[in-house]
């Protein structure tokens, strides 16, 4: 088999030769793919070599024999040697034919050769051109790199020059004093907006010049002279303007708040002075402090004096105490000609001064009140006076912080320099008044006015008046406690025998206590004070003792109970109008009233129904011991009780009801007592029924005369008074 013949030609020939050719070609293809046997010529095999392994040959032979074409060839009996020669001859024939084809196409091949040669020369020229281009590009690349380096260098120089220019331009702008600034500072009024703007610019240049002078910049000396002159001119104009505004405060009838608001619009003026001319700034500050201190002192001294002229002419003195008898000062507590005059023990409408609307309402105008012939209690004048102080003090403190740029202790010190004299005058005047004041309700209202004003200033975050509020409270609290202790002592020392004719109606001393205690308790609810509660407790104890001492003056127990019930009921009613229902004063008098009422009910039931009540109590006691038989011989007594009750109960109940209503000033309380008495009567009669139903008394004929309990209840309801 010839090597190098294309497999396509072999396959074409095989297709024309029949089954033998197909079998041989399949065998050759199989041998070609095997890595160990590359030729079918057995003569080339060296069977004598020691390296030949028969087992491997057997393996290959077995593998080839398994091929389908080899099996077919063996079946048909084809001679492989003959077939191999046939194939070799065929390949030679095909080779000759191929040579002829090459010779036939020789001209075309020569032409193709010439064309290839021409293409080679063209490509050679192209190569030369491209080589030239490459060398040109290399030179251009080096030039670009050079230009890039030059560009980077120029960019760095540009940035450096721009940075230097920005610094220099800023320096020049800060150093240059424009003509507009010079003309504005020299010629324009300080109230114009343009002057204020140029003053800001001048202040910037002054600060910049100071900074450059520390760096020893030579250019600073060129502008220092003109900047100093402009500064002196600006300081002079600002000083004249501010002092003029301060002097305007001193004019009579001037509302100083208007020039203050004007100064706040130009607060930068003082800032400029403080930064550049501290001597002038101190002069202005001292002048303002001196002026405002005199204005506030004069205003409040005049206002306080005028307020005292519209105070009630009659005020309490040391004899106007709770335990003093009514005859000691006739008409003081109930003088009919002074309808608008408040008493020292009754709150009335005085408590409205603590309502938000009244507390922060407009202050009193004294001359208007004088024209209207109006008079006011001390706490109203006190509220007006101190609200004016609070309002002006808060406004002044805020002005000082804003205009003079002070905070903290510096602001408080400056405020005290201005308001200190006025506050001292307030405290001195109040100390003089309080030392001779015996109106405890007025003092207590003033205390709570101050407590509320202190809360207002705390809400506004104004600490300027805190020490003043504390000083006022230190004056008021001891005086209030002293007056309260004097009242307690007066009740303790009261002699019931010196208080005139005995009367079962509520006593005027207990009414004073009820009005006073309810007033203090109602006021004290917002800002509770334990010392006040303790003093009120002592006062209550003394009043209770006084009531008992007064009741002991009555000869009969019935009148004593009526007196006690009337007084307890009156005090309880007054307290419940103002104090909370769960206050200890209310609870204490409720218990006292209930105990005395129960005792009084027993007292009024005793005359008409005492026999039956005594029998029921005696029988119930024996029933508990199981000794009821001891009363079985009391038939006559029982008969008398049954018939007596049946014949007189209606008349007795009617008489009792009328007597109770005459004895008690409070109809509601009298009605309650009657209802309690009738209820108690029914309970006793029910007990009477229960006793007579016991086996011991069932044989009594008088049992048939007992009134039906339900019928009795219906009849009793008819006697209940309705109010």
């Amino acid at each position: 088999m010839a090597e190098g013949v294309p497999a396509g030609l072999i396959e074409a020939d095989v297709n024309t030769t029949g089954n033998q050719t197909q079998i041989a070609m399949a065998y050759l293809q199989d041998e070609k793919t095997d890595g160990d046997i590359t030729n079918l010529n057995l003569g080339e095999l060296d069977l004598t070599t020691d390296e030949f392994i028969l087992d491997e040959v057997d393996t290959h032979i077995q593998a080839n024999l398994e091929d389908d074409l080899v099996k077919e060839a063996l079946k048909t009996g084809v001679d492989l040697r003959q077939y191999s020669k046939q194939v070799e001859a065929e390949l030679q024939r095909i080779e000759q034919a191929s040579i002829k084809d090459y010779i036939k196409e020789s001209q075309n091949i020569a032409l193709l050769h010439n064309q290839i040669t021409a293409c080679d020369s063209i490509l050679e020229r192209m190569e030369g051109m491209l080589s030239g281009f490459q060398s040109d590009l290399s030179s251009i690349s080096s030039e670009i790199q050079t230009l890039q380096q030059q560009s980077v260098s120029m960019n760095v120089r540009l940035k450096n020059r721009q940075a230097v220019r920005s610094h220099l331009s800023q320096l020049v702008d800060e150093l240059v004093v424009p003509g507009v600034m010079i003309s504005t500072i020299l010629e324009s009024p300080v109230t114009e907006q343009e002057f204020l703007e140029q003053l800001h610019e001048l202040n910037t240049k002054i600060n910049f010049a100071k900074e450059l002078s520390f760096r020893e910049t030579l250019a600073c000396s060129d502008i220092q002279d003109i900047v100093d002159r402009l500064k002196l001119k600006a300081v002079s104009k600002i000083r004249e303007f501010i002092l003029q505004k301060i002097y305007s405060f001193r004019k009579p009838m001037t509302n100083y708040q208007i020039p203050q608001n004007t100064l706040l619009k130009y607060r930068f003026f003082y800032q400029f002075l403080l930064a550049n001319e501290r001597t002038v700034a101190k002069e202005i500050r001292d002048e303002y402090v001196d002026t405002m201190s005199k204005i506030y002192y004069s205003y409040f001294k005049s206002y306080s004096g005028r307020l005292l002229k519209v105070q009630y002419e009659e005020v309490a003195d040391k004899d106007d105490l709770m335990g003093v008898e009514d005859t000691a000062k006739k008409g003081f507590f109930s003088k009919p000609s002074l309808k608008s005059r408040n008493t020292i023990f009754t709150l009335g409408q005085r408590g409205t001064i603590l309502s938000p609307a009244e507390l922060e309402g407009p202050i009193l105008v004294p001359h208007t009140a004088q024209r209207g012939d109006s008079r006011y209690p001390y706490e109203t004048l006190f509220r007006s006076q101190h609200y004016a102080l609070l309002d002006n003090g808060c406004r002044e403190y805020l002005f000082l912080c804003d205009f003079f740029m002070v905070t903290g202790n510096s602001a408080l010190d400056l405020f005290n320099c201005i308001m200190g004299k006025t506050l001292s005058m307030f405290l001195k005047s109040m100390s003089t008044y309080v030392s001779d004041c015996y109106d405890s309700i007025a003092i207590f209202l003033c205390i709570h006015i101050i407590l509320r004003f202190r809360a207002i200033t705390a809400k506004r975050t104004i600490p300027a008046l805190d020490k003043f509020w504390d000083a006022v409270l230190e004056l008021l609290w001891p005086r209030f406690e002293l007056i309260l202790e004097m009242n307690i002592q007066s009740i303790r020392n009261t002699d019931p025998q010196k208080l005139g004719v005995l009367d079962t109606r509520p006593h005027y001393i207990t009414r004073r206590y009820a009005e006073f205690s309810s007033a203090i308790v109602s006021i004290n609810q917002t800002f509770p004070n334990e010392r006040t509660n303790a003093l009120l407790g002592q006062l209550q104890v003394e009043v209770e003792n006084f009531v008992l001492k007064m009741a002991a003056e009555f000869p009969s127990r019935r009148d004593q109970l009526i007196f006690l019930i009337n007084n307890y009921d009156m005090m309880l009613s007054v307290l419940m109008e103002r104090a909370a229902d769960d206050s200890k004063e209310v609870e204490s008098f409720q218990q006292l009233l209930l105990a005395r009422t129960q005792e009084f009910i027993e007292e009024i039931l005793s005359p008409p129904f005492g026999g039956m009540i005594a029998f029921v109590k005696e029988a119930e006691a024996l029933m508990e011991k199981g000794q009821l038989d001891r009363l079985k011989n009391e038939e006559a007594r029982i008969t008398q009780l049954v018939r007596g009750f049946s014949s007189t109960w209606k008349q007795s109940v009617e008489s009792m009801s009328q007597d109770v209503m005459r004895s008690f000033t409070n109809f509601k309380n009298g009605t309650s007592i009657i209802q309690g008495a009738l209820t108690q009567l029914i309970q006793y009669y029910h007990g009477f029924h229960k006793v007579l139903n016991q086996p011991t008394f069932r044989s009594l004929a008088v049992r048939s005369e007992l009134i039906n309990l339900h019928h009795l209840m219906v009849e009793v309801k008819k006697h209940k008074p309705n109010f």
Side-chain angles (χ1 to χ4, degrees), residues 60-106:
H60 286 288
I61 292 174
Q62 289 297 328
N64 289 325
L65 289 176
E66 293 295 327
D67 188 270
D68 292 338
L69 293 176
V70 174
K71 290 179 179 179
E72 183 67 24
L74 293 175
K75 287 181 182 180
T76 54
V78 176
D79 186 358
L80 294 179
R81 295 184 180 87
Q82 183 62 32
Y83 182 72
S84 175
K85 292 179 180 180
Q86 184 181 346
V87 170
E88 185 176 356
E90 184 64 27
L91 289 175
Q92 290 178 355
R93 184 183 64 79
I94 292 171
E95 182 180 359
Q96 293 298 323
S98 176
I99 293 171
K100 291 179 180 179
D101 288 337
Y102 279 121
I103 294 172
K104 182 179 179 180
E105 296 293 332
S106 59

Side-chain angles (χ1 to χ4, degrees), residues 64 156 205 209 220 275 291 301 321 336-337 392 445 455 525 558 590 642 684:
N64 289 325
V156 171
K205 292 186 181 299
C220 179
T291 300
K301 184 177 181 181
L321 299 174
S337 61
N392 285 276
L445 285 172
Q525 287 175 352
R558 181 178 177 279
Q590 282 178 337
V642 171
Y684 279 131

